[in-house]
Amino acid sequence: MIVVAKTFINQMTKGDVFVLAMALVFLVILYVVFWRVASHAGEYIHIVAKGGAVEKLSLLQNREVTIEGQLGNSRLQIEGGRVRFLSSPCENKLCIHQGWASLSGELIACLPNRISVSIEGQNSHFDTVNF
Amino acid sequence: MNITANTVVRTTRDDHMIAWLTALAISIHLLESALPSPFPGFKPGLANIVTIIVLCQYGLKMAIWVTLLRVLIGSLLLGTFMSPTFILSLSGAVATLLMLTLASSLSQVFPAWAPGAIGYSVMGAMTHISVQFYVAYSLFIQHEALLTLLPILATTSLIFGAISGIVAMAVLPELEARR
């Protein structure tokens, strides 16, 4: 195994080493740029519910909100710059199990009840997102 | 030239070579599409081993033919022709080939810095993922959360690019010996 590895390393040219080094530098830059930008704390949440109604709430104010969805009322809790589903009339409760979300760009949703909550902050470039 | 029923299409040795190697690349491409993907957007890209081997052994022109034919025929066989998958696949392939063209012309100017199989492979993989990601982001899903995937995708790209390059490095001397 070591012998095989050695023959490969010996076969590598100066150009190969240069390319590998550049690739590693590129990777480091990607991690620094995208993992730092994306992990900005969110400032407010956009709630989209039944019929496309949009509500915008601050994340800084601790409160509980009740949202009317397709199946019934879901309750959201906003606390300490984070938001989570407290209760929802859906069957699988996936929305509650998603837990807290706090970073700009994160999204929690209850699909059966047609409610989505996206977190936005200074770095949100988009007004709407279509899928 | 009059094309009649008796016209014989002359094929060169290069044509045969391209056909064989493309067939090999397509087989790998198809086998790979049957593998489950651990997260969206991830694919090892082992068919590119053929691109790298062809580039090192038979030159750039053949590598371009083999790669573009593989993308086209692979998409026809998988039923993804003209779908977003195909657009992503093609844009990645074209960008990679441009990068390889640039690198192989540069290495003629600076022969001391010419990369080998692993260099071309890693360079291709990084170009592929960057351009593909850019196209996916700008054409299909403009959601900021997608950007957090990029470093992970680029890391796997580097790893699999290096693996493909090492495989090509292992195969090339064998080919040379059998020539």
Side-chain angles (χ1 to χ4, degrees), chain B:
Chain B
M1 191 178 80
N2 281 325
I3 296 180
T4 63
N6 293 329
T7 305
V8 178
V9 178
R10 296 209 181 278
T11 51
T12 61
R13 191 168 176 274
D14 274 6
D15 293 336
H16 288 265
M17 222 51 208
I18 290 173
W20 276 108
L21 292 162
T22 308
L24 180 61
I26 294 168
S27 314
I28 300 175
H29 189 89
L30 291 185
L31 283 176
E32 201 178 60
S33 70
L35 293 175
S37 173
F39 53 85
F42 173 80
K43 207 174 161 227
L46 297 174
N48 293 316
I49 295 172
V50 179
T51 303
I52 298 303
I53 290 173
V54 174
L55 176 70
C56 293
Q57 191 79 12
Y58 307 104
L60 182 68
K61 201 183 130 201
M62 294 270 272
I64 293 175
W65 270 111
V66 168
T67 307
L68 291 181
L69 282 173
R70 185 204 85 214
V71 170
L72 178 70
I73 299 168
S75 77
L76 288 173
L77 290 173
L78 291 172
T80 56
F81 183 59
M82 286 301 171
S83 72
T85 317
F86 172 73
I87 294 170
L88 289 179
S89 185
L90 184 66
S91 57
V94 169
T96 304
L97 290 172
L98 286 175
M99 187 64 169
L100 293 181
T101 307
L102 179 72
S104 67
S105 354
L106 273 180
S107 66
Q108 274 165 8
V109 184
F110 307 103
W113 287 89
I118 192 170
Y120 281 126
S121 182
V122 166
M123 175 192 311
M126 298 315 275
T127 314
H128 199 279
I129 194 66
S130 314
V131 170
Q132 210 169 47
F133 190 90
Y134 177 76
V135 172
Y137 186 79
S138 53
L139 284 187
F140 303 121
I141 314 167
Q142 291 195 346
H143 194 281
E144 211 172 279
L146 196 68
L147 293 175
T148 45
L149 256 183
L150 181 57
I152 304 172
L153 287 173
T155 308
T156 55
S157 212
L158 175 59
I159 294 168
F160 278 95
I163 291 174
S164 298
I166 290 168
V167 173
M169 276 168 88
V171 172
L172 278 167
E174 301 284 327
L175 275 179
E176 196 72 54
R178 280 163 204 220
R179 236 181 165 183

Side-chain angles (χ1 to χ4, degrees), chain A residues 13 15-16 19 31 35 38 105 123 126, chain B residues 113-114 116 119 137 143-144 148 151 155:
Chain A
T13 65
D16 287 333
V19 170
Y31 276 104
W35 279 22
N123 292 292
F126 309 111
Chain B
W113 287 89
Y137 186 79
H143 194 281
E144 211 172 279
T148 45
T155 308

